[in-house]
């Protein structure tokens, strides 16, 4: 059963029509600035892939992809969970060169999401990927890239604050960098989500690094598939969101696995069966370029900049009766 939080006294400052206009403004501006900041070219992307290719994102390994048959092709296809792996293959096939990358609209269905203010069965992201050299697979590269993306976020917020009087700039000037292990050391008695809230409430914006690895308490901060991000060189951009009083994740990103980190992470995750899939074999054979990439939630970005209480206010999805009823009673207009 889905859940929903309605902030006390909440009222959208924009009508449905005005919201649609503002969404278009945000998306056009963000896409343009991301391409300039990271040297990206926009490309088209798949809605579904062949499961035998190994290109689908396995997320935490338990989510079920939507599968359907294509009779003429005599096969079944999977709706993508994200384009984390596809993008790296695309850079190779499209003959991109180091320092250049791609940006695409990713639309997905995540049937097993627990539906709430932030999570929907429908997902839309800007998925991006950029070629780097082997020598650039460093923490410095990761941090510099995060700062470039964060600069785009601040510029977009500044622009929206000029367009709409009710929007105030709340993003801090700088984003803080904290590892998942440092969070455990700081708040050993809290849950991962509680740790995120504590640090983001204090800093305003945080890049939480090294997601997926096992920490000193024997646990992982969060699940992360073993065959795209290098768990030592990845992370999430989190910001404090006062409308809901939460830590809001806007982006997940990282330097992608090379042959060595893929080898160790597949074994650690108990996923050695993936070694023979085409995508994973191409990494082991050093056929694919070394890359950095990530996803930036389009609807979450719009929700944040427009100060909306529910993601259903900025994109169309299906919600259980309990959420629809609570939203209607609380003045939240689900699209």
């Amino acid at each position: 059963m889905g859940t929903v939080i309605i902030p006390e006294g909440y009222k959208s400052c924009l009508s449905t029509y005005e919201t649609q206009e503002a969404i278009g403004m945000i998306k056009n501006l963000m896409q343009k600035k991301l391409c300039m900041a990271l040297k990206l070219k926009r490309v088209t992307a798949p809605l579904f892939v062949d499961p035998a290719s190994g290109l689908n994102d396995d997320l935490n390994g338990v989510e079920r992809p939507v599968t359907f048959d294509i009779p003429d092709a005599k096969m079944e296809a999977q709706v993508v969970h994200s384009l984390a792996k596809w993008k790296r293959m695309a850079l190779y096939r499209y003959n991109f060169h180091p320092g250049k990358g791609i940006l695409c609209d990713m639309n997905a269905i995540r049937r097993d999401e627990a539906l709430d203010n932030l999570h929907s069965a429908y997902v839309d992201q800007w998925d991006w990927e950029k070629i780097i050299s082997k020598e650039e697979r460093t923490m410095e590269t990761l941090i510099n890239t995060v700062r470039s993306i964060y600069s785009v976020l601040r510029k977009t917020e500044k622009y929206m604050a000029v367009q709409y009087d009710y929007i105030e700039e709340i993003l801090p000037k700088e984003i803080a960098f904290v590892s998942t292990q440092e969070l455990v050391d700081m708040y050993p008695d809290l849950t991962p989500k509680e740790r995120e809230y504590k640090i983001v409430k204090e800093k305003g914006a945080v890049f939480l690094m090294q997601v997926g690895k096992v920490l000193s308490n024997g646990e992982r901060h969060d699940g992360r598939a073993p065959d795209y991000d290098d768990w030592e060189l990845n992370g999430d951009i989190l910001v404090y969101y006062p409308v809901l009083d939460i830590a809001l994740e806007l982006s997940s990103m990282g330097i992608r696995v090379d042959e060595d980190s893929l080898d160790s992470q597949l074994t650690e995750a108990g996923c050695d069966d993936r070694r023979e899939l085409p995508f994973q074999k191409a990494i082991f054979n050093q056929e694919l370029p070394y890359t950095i990439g990530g996803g930036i939630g389009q609807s979450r970005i719009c929700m944040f900049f427009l100060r909306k209480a529910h993601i259903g206010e900025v994109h169309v999805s299906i919600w259980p009766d309990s959420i629809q009823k609570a939203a209607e009673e609380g003045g939240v207009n689900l699209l």
Side-chain angles (χ1 to χ4, degrees):
M1 181 67 68
T3 60
V4 63
I5 298 171
I6 308 297
E8 185 176 354
Y10 174 78
K11 186 178 187 300
S12 176
C13 294
L14 300 178
S15 67
T16 302
Y17 179 86
E18 291 168 335
T19 296
Q20 294 299 313
E21 185 177 46
I23 290 171
M25 196 181 301
I26 292 169
K27 290 191 174 185
N28 288 336
L29 185 63
M30 279 287 298
Q31 180 170 292
K32 179 180 179 180
K33 288 192 175 297
L34 284 170
C35 286
M36 291 176 60
L38 300 179
K39 298 182 179 178
L40 308 174
K41 294 289 186 182
R42 190 189 181 283
V43 301
T44 56
L47 177 62
F48 46 86
V49 294
D50 178 358
S53 67
L55 289 177
N56 206 355
D57 180 357
D58 297 290
L59 300 177
N60 292 318
V62 297
E63 295 87 351
R64 300 170 300 155
V66 174
T67 304
F68 63 97
D69 68 303
I70 304 177
D72 266 9
K74 297 181 174 59
M75 64 174 292
E76 288 194 334
Q78 285 182 353
V79 176
V80 297
H81 275 147
S82 86
L83 300 173
K85 299 171 187 172
W86 177 87
K87 292 175 296 180
R88 189 170 179 179
M89 183 69 78
L91 285 169
Y92 167 72
R93 292 182 56 212
Y94 297 171
N95 198 31
F96 273 69
H97 300 291
K100 304 291 185 180
I102 58 176
L103 178 79
C104 47
D105 288 311
M106 189 285 298
N107 298 289
I109 300 172
R110 295 187 182 171
R111 62 196 291 184
D112 292 318
E113 284 285 11
L115 307 182
D116 56 27
N117 292 62
L118 303 179
H119 298 90
S120 169
Y122 169 70
V123 178
D124 55 347
Q125 293 183 168
W126 287 289
D127 254 327
W128 65 275
E129 198 85 8
K130 180 179 178 179
I131 297 179
I132 58 176
S133 67
K134 177 82 167 177
E135 293 71 30
E136 290 176 302
R137 297 187 73 260
T138 64
M139 186 63 73
E140 181 182 9
T141 297
L142 179 63
I143 288 173
N144 288 339
T145 304
V146 170
R147 285 179 172 149
S148 294
I149 294 172
Y150 187 69
S151 176
V152 171
L153 293 175
R154 289 195 67 233
K155 289 175 182 176
T156 303
E157 184 181 53
K158 184 181 292 290
Y159 179 82
M160 296 306 292
V162 172
Q163 303 302 311
Y164 299 95
D165 291 341
Y166 78 95
I167 298 175
E168 297 181 359
E169 294 179 53
I170 60 176
L171 291 175
K173 184 177 180 180
E174 303 290 341
I175 186 170
F177 292 84
V178 181
S179 72
T180 51
Q181 182 58 57
E182 286 173 328
L183 268 195
V184 169
D185 296 340
M186 293 164 66
Y187 311 115
D189 298 325
L190 300 183
T191 67
K193 290 302 178 186
E194 289 170 342
R195 292 181 204 126
E196 289 182 0
Y197 175 79
K198 288 279 286 187
I199 194 67
V200 171
K201 184 72 180 290
E202 176 188 344
K203 301 292 186 180
V206 171
F207 185 66
L208 184 59
M209 301 180 292
Q210 299 176 332
V211 180
K213 62 186 289 187
V214 176
L215 306 173
S216 61
N217 61 1
E219 301 173 354
R220 302 176 193 271
H221 180 84
D222 198 1
R224 198 60 52 95
D227 44 8
Y228 58 94
D229 279 353
D230 186 323
W231 292 340
E232 296 290 339
L233 295 168
N234 72 350
D236 298 331
I237 295 178
L238 308 172
V239 298
Y240 177 66
Y241 191 42
V243 174
L244 296 174
D245 187 29
I246 60 169
L248 176 62
E249 179 188 322
L250 296 180
S251 176
S252 176
M253 58 176 288
I255 291 175
R256 306 312 196 185
V257 291
D258 62 3
E259 56 279 10
D260 296 323
S261 55
L262 177 61
D263 180 41
S264 62
Q265 289 180 189
L266 285 178
T267 299
E268 182 177 338
C271 296
D272 285 321
D273 57 312
R274 299 186 193 178
R275 292 175 180 273
E276 296 305 312
L277 293 174
F279 174 79
Q280 288 77 358
K281 286 183 69 173
I283 294 176
F284 282 128
N285 294 335
Q286 301 180 40
E287 297 169 2
L288 298 183
Y290 299 109
T291 63
I292 182 174
I296 302 172
Q298 292 189 20
S299 289
R300 287 199 181 185
I301 289 288
C302 293
M303 179 182 173
F304 176 78
F305 287 137
L306 299 180
R307 312 301 188 236
K308 298 288 189 178
H310 198 284
I311 201 165
E313 295 181 271
V314 294
H315 80 214
V316 180
S317 187
I318 292 177
W319 307 98
D321 291 342
S322 59
I323 286 183
Q324 294 189 58
K325 181 180 178 181
E328 184 177 349
E329 292 174 350
V332 174
N333 183 29
L334 300 180
L335 301 180

